[in-house]
């Protein structure tokens, strides 16, 4: 039974759930009466949910309204719409609105909607005091209680028949602002108001002006009175007296000041009256200002005073303003239409004017130190007036100028500027100098005692012709210097170094070095260096030539290295040649000595070896040679006899024969102790023999080695001729 009830309940729940199917079609937000509402008018924000249902059933909605992302309204309703009402809209209600609806576990949000409340409420202005004194300040407060910051406040001080005085204040975090206005002179009745501005959607909104506040101003003292006695129109020499007075409410910290052209003439403190007195002159004419100050309050009064001229300024005249020294000068002082005055003539000086004479006229013989500005003074009734200065110049004649080169020597390097100075020792400045190059005027200079000329166009053929002249306003005229000749120095160009022999030099021989330049003014200073770890100066000399020869004797291996030369002249530019390399090698005789020391021991060893070999061979052949010697001698003798008696041809054969025993013995005896040191030579000997049968010619050659011993001392020589004689 219970199981059946449970099944029925679950089935009913499933049917109920199937009946409560719904979906959000749309959620939208609206504003009434429009998205742009006037400040102070009512408006409503409406959130509407459009929902589709499968069946008709009751659905609860949770509405939430946001402004600029902040929650401003929330309500739960069975209806598909909620309303957020604002009875009085303010500019602070301007913003971005959106709403969200939650129902049956589902939530849907609307799009954003911007609402603009136009205009601002009328601001409220209050003044701290309704009545103030001149010099005090008025403190004001302007506020908009129902508006939100940021706000821009404008305070206005309004006077009758004048433009309002404004002050601007920006407030970022509050809806009110305060300001102070100073109360100035002639501020009697003042009105103040304010207005507020705000930037919304890049548009500046301005409120209507606030209530106008009235402030009454009281004077702490009256405007001062300024008088001139006897009157404001007086004549030079009369005494003028000025009086400035006022009436004050309370005598405390009050000050009276008298000014003329911003210059304070007199002042008093805590008094009601100021007096000033002086002898009237033309300089006393003008506007006078009396100012009364107390605290911040200040009032002024002006008075114009006119002083009539008693007599005009005197005039000084001179017989001449430019004179030669020792000439006569006359100065005269006069006043137009007025003769009764006390005159004096003076010369101006920074340490005080120099008095010459109390008279209308002055005549004197002038000197150079009398040059200066002269004035005359005239006095009438205590009034002293001064004339305009007259400049008198007294000139001494210029001396003959001297022309010289600034650097000292009368020379210049080609391509460099030439600076000349023309100087006149005597003569009253200013002096006019003229420079000439040839007959052409190059420059004119006005100076005191000297002038400088720079010639930047120096050519190779510029030799001279420079001169200058000097003159001043003396009547003697112009003086001319002597002609100055200039030497143009051509700088060194292209230095080169050569040697003979070049490259390799035998040890002990001499080497000639030649240093030369392509061009350059003489004398030229030559230097020859050898380059090692540091530069070594070997030779230096100055020559009036473009080359120099230096001979280095007995070169040695230590002289191997790199050489170069440097040439310079008065142009003070060192020109360096390209380096050359010298190698010192062995001389021929040195090579021979070395060869001898090396080859003689080798040759001796070879000769000794050969001698030992031949000696061994001869010792082995000597017995056979002695046995054949006698028979050979007999044949030779008979052959000789036959040849002497027979004039016909004969046929011979050649062979080598060794000297007989007796001959060798004598030779050995003659050689004596030098035998052991004798050298062995080999000589070829031809021996002719007759064919006993007179057969056709047969030729043959047999070679026999015969020892010919040659002693070192030249004794015991056996020659080829002796051998031939022996054979014949």
């Amino acid at each position: 039974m219970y199981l059946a009830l449970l099944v029925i309940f679950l089935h009913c729940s499933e049917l109920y759930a199937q009946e409560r199917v719904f979906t959000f079609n749309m959620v939208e937000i609206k504003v009434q009466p429009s998205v742009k509402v006037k400040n102070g008018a009512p408006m409503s924000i409406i959130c509407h949910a459009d929902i589709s249902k499968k069946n008709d059933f009751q659905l609860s909605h949770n509405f939430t309204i946001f402004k600029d992302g902040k929650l401003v309204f929330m309500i739960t309703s069975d209806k598909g719409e909620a309303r957020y009402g604002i009875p009085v809209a303010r500019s602070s209600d301007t913003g971005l609105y959106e709403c969200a609806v939650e129902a049956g576990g589902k939530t849907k949000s609307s799009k954003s909607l911007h609402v603009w409340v136009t205009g601002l409420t009328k601001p409220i202005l209050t003044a701290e005091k309704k009545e103030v004194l001149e010099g005090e300040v008025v403190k004001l407060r302007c506020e908009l209680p129902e508006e939100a910051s940021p706000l821009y406040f404008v305070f206005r001080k309004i006077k009758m028949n004048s433009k309002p005085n404004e002050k601007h204040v920006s407030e970022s975090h509050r809806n009110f602002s305060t300001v102070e206005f100073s109360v100035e002179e002639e501020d009697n009745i003042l009105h103040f108001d304010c207005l507020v501005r705000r930037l919304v959607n890049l548009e500046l909104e301005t409120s209507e002006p606030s209530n106008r506040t009235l402030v009454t101003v009281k004077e702490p003292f009256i405007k001062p009175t300024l008088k001139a006695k006897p009157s404001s129109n007086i004549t030079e020499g009369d005494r003028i007296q000025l009086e400035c007075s006022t009436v004050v409410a309370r005598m405390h910290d009050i000050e009276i000041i008298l000014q003329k052209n911003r210059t304070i003439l007199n002042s008093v403190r805590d008094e009601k009256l100021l007096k000033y007195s002086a002898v009237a002159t033309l300089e006393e004419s003008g506007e006078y200002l009396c100012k009364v100050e107390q605290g911040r309050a200040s009032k002024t009064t002006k008075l114009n005073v006119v002083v009539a001229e008693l007599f005009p300024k005197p005039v000084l005249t001179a017989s001449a303003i430019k004179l030669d020294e020792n000439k006569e000068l006359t100065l005269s002082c006069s006043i137009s239409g007025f003769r009764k005055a006390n005159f004096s003539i003076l010369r101006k000086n920074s340490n005080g004017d120099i008095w010459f004479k109390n008279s209308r006229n002055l005549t004197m013989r002038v000197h150079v130190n009398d040059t200066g500005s002269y004035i005359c003074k005239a006095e009438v009734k205590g009034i002293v007036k001064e004339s305009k200065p007259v400049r008198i110049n007294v000139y001494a004649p210029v001396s003959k100028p001297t022309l010289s080169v600034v650097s000292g020597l009368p020379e210049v390097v080609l391509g460099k500027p030439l600076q000349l100075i023309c100087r006149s020792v005597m003569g009253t400045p200013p002096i006019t100098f003229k420079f000439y190059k040839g007959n052409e005027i190059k420059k004119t200079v006005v100076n005191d005692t000297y002038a400088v000329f720079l010639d930047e166009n120096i050519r190779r053929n510029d030799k001279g012709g420079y001169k200058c002249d000097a003159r001043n306003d003396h009547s003697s005229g112009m003086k001319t210097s002597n002609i100055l000749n200039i030497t143009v120095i051509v700088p060194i160009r292209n230095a080169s170094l050569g040697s003979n022999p070049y490259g390799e030099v035998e040890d002990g021989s001499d080497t000639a070095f030649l240093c030369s330049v392509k061009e350059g003014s003489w004398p030229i200073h030559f230097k020859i260096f050898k380059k090692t770890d540091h530069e070594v100066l070997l030779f230096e000399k100055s020559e009036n030539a473009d080359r120099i020869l230096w001979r280095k004797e007995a070169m040695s291996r230590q002289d191997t290295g790199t050489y170069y030369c440097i040439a310079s002249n008065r142009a003070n530019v060192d020109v360096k040649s390209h380096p050359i390399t010298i190698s010192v090698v062995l001389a021929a005789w040195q090579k021979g000595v070395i060869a001898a020391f090396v080859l003689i021991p080798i040759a001796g060893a070879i000769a000794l070896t050969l001698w030992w070999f031949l000696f061994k061979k001869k010792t082995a052949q000597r017995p056979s040679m002695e046995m054949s010697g006698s028979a050979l001698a007999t044949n030779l003798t008979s052959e000789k006899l036959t040849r002497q008696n027979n004039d016909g041809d004969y046929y011979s054969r050649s062979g080598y024969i060794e000297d007989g025993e007796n001959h060798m013995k004598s030779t050995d005896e003659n050689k004596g102790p030098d035998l052991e040191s004798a050298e062995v030579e080999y000589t070829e000997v031809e021996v002719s023999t007759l064919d006993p049968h007179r057969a056709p010619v047969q030729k043959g050659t047999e070679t026999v080695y015969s020892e010919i011993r040659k002693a070192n001392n030249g004794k015991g020589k056996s020659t080829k001729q002796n051998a031939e004689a022996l054979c014949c």
Side-chain angles (χ1 to χ4, degrees):
M1 178 180 176
Y2 293 108
L3 180 60
L5 291 175
L6 179 61
V7 171
I8 293 171
F9 175 77
L10 291 175
H11 180 69
C12 292
S13 298
E14 183 178 353
L15 292 175
Y16 177 78
Q18 290 177 356
E19 292 176 355
R20 293 181 61 84
V21 176
F22 72 95
T23 183
F24 281 101
N25 295 321
M26 181 181 63
V27 174
E28 63 176 347
I29 188 170
K30 298 183 293 183
V31 61
Q32 289 182 352
S34 68
V35 293
K36 196 171 184 179
V37 183
K38 188 176 181 180
N39 196 306
M43 75 173 184
S44 297
I45 307 296
I46 301 170
C47 183
H48 175 74
D50 182 6
I51 300 174
S52 295
K53 302 177 184 178
K54 185 176 181 180
N55 299 310
D56 187 14
F57 59 89
Q58 193 72 22
L59 186 63
S60 178
H61 307 81
N62 293 322
F63 292 91
T64 308
I65 298 177
F66 299 89
K67 173 182 172 288
D68 297 330
K70 296 180 180 179
L71 178 65
V72 295
F73 179 76
M74 185 171 61
I75 193 173
T76 301
S77 174
D78 294 335
K79 298 179 180 180
E81 186 176 277
R83 181 183 294 267
Y84 169 46
I86 302 174
V88 179
R90 299 299 182 194
S91 61
S92 58
D93 293 323
T94 298
L96 203 62
Y97 289 83
E98 64 177 319
C99 72
V101 180
E102 188 274 329
K106 298 181 180 181
T107 303
K108 182 76 172 178
S109 297
S110 70
K111 294 182 179 180
S112 298
L113 177 67
H114 187 269
V115 179
W116 183 8
V117 180
T118 62
L120 291 168
T121 59
K122 183 177 180 179
I124 300 171
L125 180 68
T126 57
E128 187 179 61
K129 293 181 180 180
K130 296 294 184 179
E131 188 176 275
V132 294
L133 295 173
E134 284 183 13
E136 292 183 344
V137 295
V138 178
K139 293 183 179 181
L140 303 174
R141 175 188 172 97
C142 182
E143 61 180 332
L144 283 83
E146 298 177 355
E147 301 291 349
S149 60
L151 298 171
Y152 189 75
F153 293 85
V154 180
F155 294 85
R156 298 190 297 182
K157 174 184 176 183
I158 303 171
K159 295 169 61 175
M160 294 295 293
N161 301 323
S162 64
K163 185 179 179 180
N165 182 15
E166 294 184 352
K167 287 189 177 183
H168 301 256
V169 182
S170 178
E171 297 289 351
S172 301
H173 304 290
R174 58 186 186 178
N175 59 0
F176 69 92
S177 184
T178 60
V179 79
E180 292 183 353
F181 280 95
S182 298
V183 179
E184 301 171 353
E185 182 183 359
E186 297 180 357
D187 285 348
N188 298 322
I189 299 176
L190 299 176
H191 292 89
F192 297 93
D193 67 3
C194 70
L195 52 89
V196 181
R197 296 190 178 115
R198 183 179 184 182
L199 188 64
V200 180
N201 287 345
L202 301 179
E203 291 187 16
L204 189 64
E205 293 183 339
T206 303
S207 71
E208 61 178 306
S210 69
N211 56 297
R212 182 167 290 190
T213 301
L214 175 65
V215 176
T216 304
V217 179
K218 290 185 177 180
E219 292 183 315
F221 51 85
I222 65 172
K223 185 175 182 177
T225 302
L226 181 59
K227 296 180 180 179
K229 294 181 180 180
S231 70
S232 58
N233 295 318
I234 57 177
T235 305
E236 281 184 308
D238 296 340
R239 180 163 290 276
I240 183 174
Q241 183 171 327
L242 298 174
E243 293 183 357
C244 182
S245 60
T246 185
V247 176
V248 298
R250 53 190 180 89
M251 187 67 66
H252 178 68
D253 289 337
I254 190 167
E255 186 175 17
I256 303 176
I257 299 173
L258 181 65
Q259 289 179 281
K260 181 178 183 294
N261 298 331
R262 296 176 178 258
T263 301
I264 296 177
L265 303 177
N266 196 11
S267 66
V268 294
R269 182 178 288 274
D270 293 335
E271 293 183 12
K272 299 179 181 180
L273 178 65
L274 176 146
K275 292 183 178 182
Y276 171 76
S277 179
V279 176
T281 63
L282 288 179
E283 287 75 17
E284 303 298 329
S285 295
E287 187 177 73
Y288 289 81
L289 176 69
C290 178
K291 181 185 290 186
V292 179
E293 296 178 346
Q294 187 178 41
R296 295 186 180 184
S298 175
K299 293 185 179 184
T300 59
T301 299
K302 297 178 181 179
L303 176 66
N304 191 46
V305 175
V306 178
V307 178
E309 186 179 54
L310 177 62
F311 63 96
K313 286 184 177 182
V315 177
L316 180 65
T317 58
S319 58
I321 59 174
K322 294 182 179 180
L323 301 92
D324 294 349
E325 61 179 351
N326 296 320
K327 294 291 185 179
E328 193 174 85
L329 171 67
T330 299
L331 298 173
S332 298
C333 188
S334 61
I335 299 175
S336 177
F338 202 93
R339 297 188 58 85
K340 293 182 179 181
N342 296 323
F343 295 95
S344 58
I345 298 177
L346 305 92
R347 188 174 76 226
K348 301 288 288 183
N349 188 278
S350 58
N351 297 324
D353 296 344
I354 300 173
W355 172 86
F356 276 86
K357 188 178 181 181
N358 287 331
S359 175
R360 181 189 296 269
N361 300 314
L362 172 65
T363 300
M364 64 179 182
R365 194 167 294 278
V366 294
H367 301 281
V368 174
N369 56 6
D370 290 324
T371 295
S373 296
Y374 289 79
I375 60 170
C376 75
K377 292 183 179 181
E379 180 185 358
V380 177
K381 293 176 61 176
I383 301 299
V384 178
K385 294 187 178 183
E386 183 179 298
S387 69
K388 291 181 179 180
V390 176
R391 178 72 183 180
I392 304 297
N393 292 305
V394 182
Y395 294 93
V398 296
S399 59
K400 181 178 180 178
T402 58
L403 182 63
S404 60
V405 180
V406 173
S407 61
L409 296 176
E411 60 187 26
V412 63
V413 178
L414 182 65
K416 300 288 185 180
L418 173 65
Q419 192 173 27
L420 302 175
I421 183 169
C422 184
R423 191 187 305 272
S424 185
V425 178
M426 303 294 294
T428 304
I431 301 174
T432 301
F433 296 91
K434 289 184 180 180
F435 289 90
Y436 297 83
K437 187 176 183 180
N439 294 322
E440 182 183 358
I441 298 177
K442 288 295 184 180
K443 190 177 182 181
T444 301
V445 180
V446 178
N447 206 345
D448 289 346
T449 59
Y450 71 93
V452 176
F453 167 62
L454 189 66
D455 188 359
E456 296 180 316
N457 187 23
I458 299 298
R459 298 182 296 271
R460 192 183 296 265
N461 58 352
D462 286 345
K463 302 271 182 177
Y466 291 96
K467 66 179 180 179
C468 71
D469 59 41
R471 69 174 302 164
N472 60 4
D473 287 329
H474 194 275
S475 60
S476 61
M478 180 180 64
K479 302 290 178 63
T480 304
S481 70
N482 295 331
I483 294 178
L484 177 64
N485 293 321
I486 299 297
T487 301
V488 178
I489 299 173
V490 179
I492 300 295
R493 186 163 67 91
N494 295 349
S496 62
L497 179 66
S499 67
N500 186 23
Y502 183 79
E504 289 189 352
V505 180
E506 289 189 352
D507 190 4
S509 64
D510 297 346
T511 301
F513 291 90
L514 178 66
C515 182
S516 62
V517 298
K518 190 169 185 179
E519 69 173 356
S521 298
W522 299 350
I524 300 176
H525 191 69
F526 296 92
K527 294 180 181 179
I528 299 178
F529 293 86
K530 180 185 178 187
K531 189 173 182 180
T532 58
D533 294 338
H534 59 281
E535 296 179 346
V536 178
L537 176 63
L538 302 176
F539 174 79
E540 67 174 325
K541 189 177 181 181
S542 294
E543 284 286 345
N544 287 320
D546 60 359
R547 63 193 62 200
I548 193 169
L549 183 66
W550 173 61
R551 187 177 298 278
K552 177 76 168 65
E553 298 178 351
M555 297 285 284
S556 64
R557 297 297 296 273
Q558 288 77 13
D559 294 322
T560 296
T562 301
Y563 294 78
Y564 64 91
C565 74
I566 293 178
S568 63
N569 60 5
R570 295 195 304 277
N572 294 324
V573 178
D574 291 341
V575 179
K576 185 177 179 180
S577 71
H578 288 294
I580 63 173
T581 301
I582 300 295
S583 299
V584 180
V585 299
L586 294 175
W589 68 270
Q590 291 174 323
K591 295 178 181 178
V593 171
I594 294 173
F597 275 103
V598 174
L599 297 178
I600 287 176
I602 297 174
I606 294 173
L608 184 61
T609 303
L610 185 59
W611 174 83
W612 179 82
F613 174 76
L614 293 177
F615 179 76
K616 288 290 186 179
K617 185 177 181 181
K618 184 181 70 173
T619 304
Q621 293 178 353
R622 181 173 296 176
S624 60
M625 292 293 290
E626 289 177 354
M627 290 174 62
S628 61
S630 59
L632 181 60
T634 305
N635 293 333
L636 291 175
T637 303
S638 62
E639 183 182 354
K640 181 178 181 183
L641 293 175
T642 305
R643 291 175 61 187
Q644 288 176 353
N645 296 325
N646 193 355
D647 296 329
D649 294 334
Y650 67 92
Y651 301 92
S652 64
R653 59 190 178 94
S654 61
Y656 290 94
I657 187 168
E658 187 177 8
D659 291 344
E661 184 179 355
N662 295 331
H663 176 70
M664 292 184 64
K665 287 182 179 180
S666 64
T667 302
D668 292 340
E669 290 175 358
N670 292 334
K671 290 171 65 177
D674 295 332
L675 179 61
E676 296 297 326
S677 61
E679 296 181 0
V680 179
E681 294 184 357
Y682 302 93
T683 304
E684 184 179 343
V685 179
E686 291 184 358
V687 179
S688 299
T689 58
L690 291 177
D691 189 342
H693 302 288
R694 297 285 183 178
V697 177
Q698 295 180 359
K699 290 187 178 181
T701 303
E702 294 181 0
T703 302
V704 180
Y705 290 92
S706 175
E707 293 183 4
I708 301 175
R709 302 186 183 276
K710 185 189 296 183
N712 291 335
N713 56 4
K715 294 179 181 180
K717 291 183 180 179
S718 178
T719 64
K720 180 179 180 181
Q721 291 78 6
N722 292 336
E724 290 179 349
L726 180 59
C727 294
C728 297

